């Protein structure tokens, strides 16, 4: 409860569909979480942004969106993090 549990993680992979096997050289286009801790998603997004650059984070309905950049302060993001 309230830890860093990401729940079920799904990866969208460039050129793959459904349960089709993927290879290590295929690009990940999106990441989805089912029943994650909001704190865990924030920690993951901050870590990924430092490796891949700015990201747009959306909720299930697309009603809330947050842009996370590599130089964002996690403490500042946490004050405005809607999840």
């Amino acid at each position: 409860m309230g830890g860093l549990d990401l729940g079920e993680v799904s990866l969208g992979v460039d050129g793959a569909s459904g349960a089709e096997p993927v290879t290590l050289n295929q690009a990940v286009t999106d990441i989805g979480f089912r029943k994650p801790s909001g704190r865990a998603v924030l920690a993951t997004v901050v870590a990924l942004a430092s490796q891949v650059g700015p990201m747009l984070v959306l909720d299930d309905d697309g009603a809330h969106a947050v842009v996370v950049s590599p130089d964002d302060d996690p403490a500042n993001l946490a004050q405005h993090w809607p999840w």
Side-chain angles (χ1 to χ4, degrees):
M1 301 292 291
L4 295 179
D5 184 2
L6 289 173
E8 181 181 310
V9 179
S10 301
L11 301 176
V13 178
D14 192 23
S17 61
E20 178 183 334
V22 298
T23 61
L24 293 176
N25 64 344
Q26 290 177 279
V28 173
T29 56
D30 59 88
I31 302 171
F33 304 103
R34 182 173 173 262
K35 297 184 179 179
S37 153
R39 204 173 127 213
V41 175
L42 177 58
T44 301
V45 168
V46 168
L48 285 172
S50 70
Q51 297 297 311
V52 301
M55 296 186 302
L56 180 62
V57 182
L58 302 166
D59 69 351
D60 289 345
D61 299 326
H64 294 95
V66 175
V67 176
V68 179
S69 297
D71 57 348
D72 284 341
D73 177 13
N76 185 46
L77 283 172
Q79 293 177 27
H80 307 288
W81 193 249
W83 301 285

